[in-house]
Amino acid sequence: DTFESGYGIYSNVILDRAMSGLGVPIIDLSGFPIAGIGTTFISDWLSDQQKHDCVKLMRETAMKIAQKLFES
């Protein structure tokens, strides 16, 4: 699911059941993930729309980082 969707999510599993997280890859020119951007949050603090918005912003940032790393 993570590979197909382009982002990862975990909910209520790390440290305690009150924390969740989101992450997106920074990919190289061949499409291979070389790094990532992620965040954690209190599970009940973000709505599904807020999670979606956060993933969108992280994807945009990951693309900007990749462009800076690999621009010629």
Side-chain angles (χ1 to χ4, degrees):
D1 290 341
T2 298
F3 186 77
E4 290 177 9
S5 66
Y7 70 94
I9 185 169
Y10 66 84
S11 295
N12 306 318
V13 294
I14 303 295
L15 298 178
D16 63 52
R17 298 200 181 273
M19 299 297 294
S20 296
L22 301 166
V24 299
I26 297 171
I27 58 172
D28 67 12
L29 296 175
S30 66
F32 187 79
I34 59 165
I37 299 172
T39 188
T40 58
F41 54 94
I42 305 297
S43 297
D44 293 337
W45 284 11
L46 297 181
S47 68
D48 287 343
Q49 183 61 49
Q50 289 171 313
K51 292 175 200 172
H52 173 77
D53 294 344
C54 187
V55 168
K56 181 180 178 210
L57 289 171
M58 287 192 299
R59 281 182 173 157
E60 291 169 1
T61 301
M63 287 179 14
K64 288 177 185 178
I65 292 170
Q67 287 172 348
K68 289 289 186 184
L69 286 172
F70 301 112
E71 67 186 12
S72 44

